[in-house]
Amino acid sequence: MKSVCLKAIRWIAYGAMAATAGVASAGEACEQQAGCTEVRTFTATVTTLRASKQGANRVVNLTVRFQNKTDKPLTLGYVSDSGVILDDKGNRYDVAGTSAVRGIGAVTGTAFDPKFTLEPKEASDARFELTWKNAGSTAAGSKFDLDLAVREIVAASADQLKLGAEHALHYTAIDEAMITAASKGGAPAAVATAATAANAGTPATPAAPADPCAAAKHCYNAGGFIAQVQQVTPTQYTPAGKHHSITMNIRFTNISSAPIILGYHASSSALVDNYGNRYFWGRSGTHDTSVQGIGYVTGRSADPQFTLNPGQSRMASFGVTRYNVNSPIGSTFKYDVVINELEVLGAQQQVRSLRDNALTFTNLVAGSVNVAQVPGAAQVPGQIAGEAAAAVPASDAEVANKVIDLFKSVTKKKEKTP
C-alpha cells in the first residue's frame, strides 16, 4: 500500500512539473488532430510533410505551424540540434545545418535569435529539413516519429530578453497522407473560445480575424501580406531535356494598414514533385539569381525595392531547377520559399530584417490559377473602393512598377560602369 501511495505521489509531482515546464501534451486546441501538439502557450501543427531521395541521401521536408494561445506576444526559438526523426524501420534523420531550418530563429547555448514573434492568436510557419545521410539502397520507412525542442524568449527588462521555458515537442507515426488529410483547408488550428477558456479557468482572447486566404487557391496568409501562386510553368531544357525547371509567378498583396517592404531570402527556394524529385534555386556554391521582380536578402545585404502600399499587389517570379536528369517532370509540386519583412532605418537608409516568413504552397499543378478565387476588396484593408486588387489581372500600375524596377537596375549598372 505504501509503495502504491509513493508511486501516486511521484506521478502527481511529475504532472505538476510537466505543466510548469511546458511539456507537450494533448489539449483542446489540437482536438486529437494528427500532427498537432499543444503546450500551455502555443500549439505546433505539422501542416505539410514530404519524403524524397537526393542522391545517396533521403530527406524529409516538413512545415510546422506555431500558433500563439496567449493574450500577449510570444517569441519562440528552435533549439539547435534538437530536431530528429526515426522512421518505422529504425532509420534516423537529423536537421543538417542552419540552412535546414527556415522561418524561425535558433537557440544555441545561451545565444538566440528572437525574430520569430507571434502576436496574440497569430500563427506562422517554420520549415525543417531532416536528412538521413548515405542511405544508399537501404529500405526507408513510411511513418515518422518527430522530436524537436522549442524555447520561449521572454523579457528580462524593458529592453533586454532572456531564455524562458523549453518545450519538447513529439509527434508519433505521422506520414504524408495523414498530414495532408488533417491540413486540408490550410487554416491554423483554432484556439480556445471564450466558453472553453472560461471552463479551463483561463482568460479568453479576442476572436481571430477572418483568414483572407480561406477561399483562395494556392494562397498563403503571412499576417501583413498574402501571397498567391498565379502561374506554374514546367520547362525541359535541351539537350534531350537534360535539365528540368519550374517557374512560379507569385502575386503579393499588402493586407495591412501600413506600407510593407518584402525581400526574397536568398537560397531558400526549393520544390519537391510527386515523384520525390527535388528542385533548387541553382547549383550549390553559386550565386542565387533565380528570382525576378523582388529584391534579395543575404547575410550581408537586403534590397528594399519591393514596397507595397496598403491594398497594393505586385508580382515576382521564382525559378527552381533539377540538373542532369532522365526521369519525367512530376505533375504536382510542393514549393517552399522564405520571404523577409524589411525595415529601412534612419537617414543612412540601413535595411534590417524584421521577420522571416516560411511560405509553403502544396498541390501546385502546371498552368494558371483562377485569380477570381483571391479575396476581394472588402477583405483588404485600405483598398480603393470597388477595386479588387488581389483578384484582377496585372494592372497598369503593376506593369509600371516592373518598368521602374528594370530602369533602376539598368541605371545602377551604368553608374558602376567606369
Side-chain angles (χ1 to χ4, degrees), residues 7 20 58 67 72 77 84 94 102 128 136 189 198 200 231 253 262 282 287 314 320 340 367-368 379 392 404 414:
K7 287 181 180 179
T20 303
R58 291 190 179 272
Q67 184 161 28
K72 297 178 181 179
V84 62
D94 296 288
R102 300 288 191 180
F128 300 89
Q231 178 83 28
T253 301
L262 303 178
H287 184 62
R314 289 180 65 180
V320 290
N340 294 75
S368 301
Q379 295 170 291
V392 296
I404 291 170
K414 286 183 177 180

Side-chain angles (χ1 to χ4, degrees), residues 264-276:
Y264 159 65
H265 193 106
S267 306
S268 70
S269 182
L271 178 145
V272 181
D273 67 20
N274 55 297
Y275 297 128

Side-chain angles (χ1 to χ4, degrees), residues 52 62 102 114 153 155 194 220 231 264 269 307 324 343 364 374:
S52 61
L62 54 89
R102 300 288 191 180
I153 299 167
Y220 185 95
Q231 178 83 28
Y264 159 65
S269 182
T307 300
N324 303 316
E343 179 182 37
L364 297 175
V374 183

Side-chain angles (χ1 to χ4, degrees), residues 22 24-27 29-31 33-48 62-69 74 76 104 116 118 122-126 128 146 148-150 167-172 174 179 183 188-191:
S25 61
C30 284
E31 296 180 347
Q33 177 184 345
C36 181
T37 190
E38 178 182 6
V39 297
R40 180 177 55 83
T41 51
F42 65 88
T43 60
T45 308
V46 180
T47 57
T48 68
L62 54 89
T63 303
V64 179
R65 173 168 292 146
F66 295 90
Q67 184 161 28
N68 182 359
K69 292 169 52 181
L74 176 68
L76 302 174
I104 187 171
F116 193 78
L118 302 172
E122 184 183 14
S124 190
D125 292 348
F128 300 89
L146 166 67
L148 58 89
V150 173
H167 305 279
L169 308 181
H170 179 71
Y171 306 83
T172 303
I174 55 176
I179 296 302
S183 302
V191 202

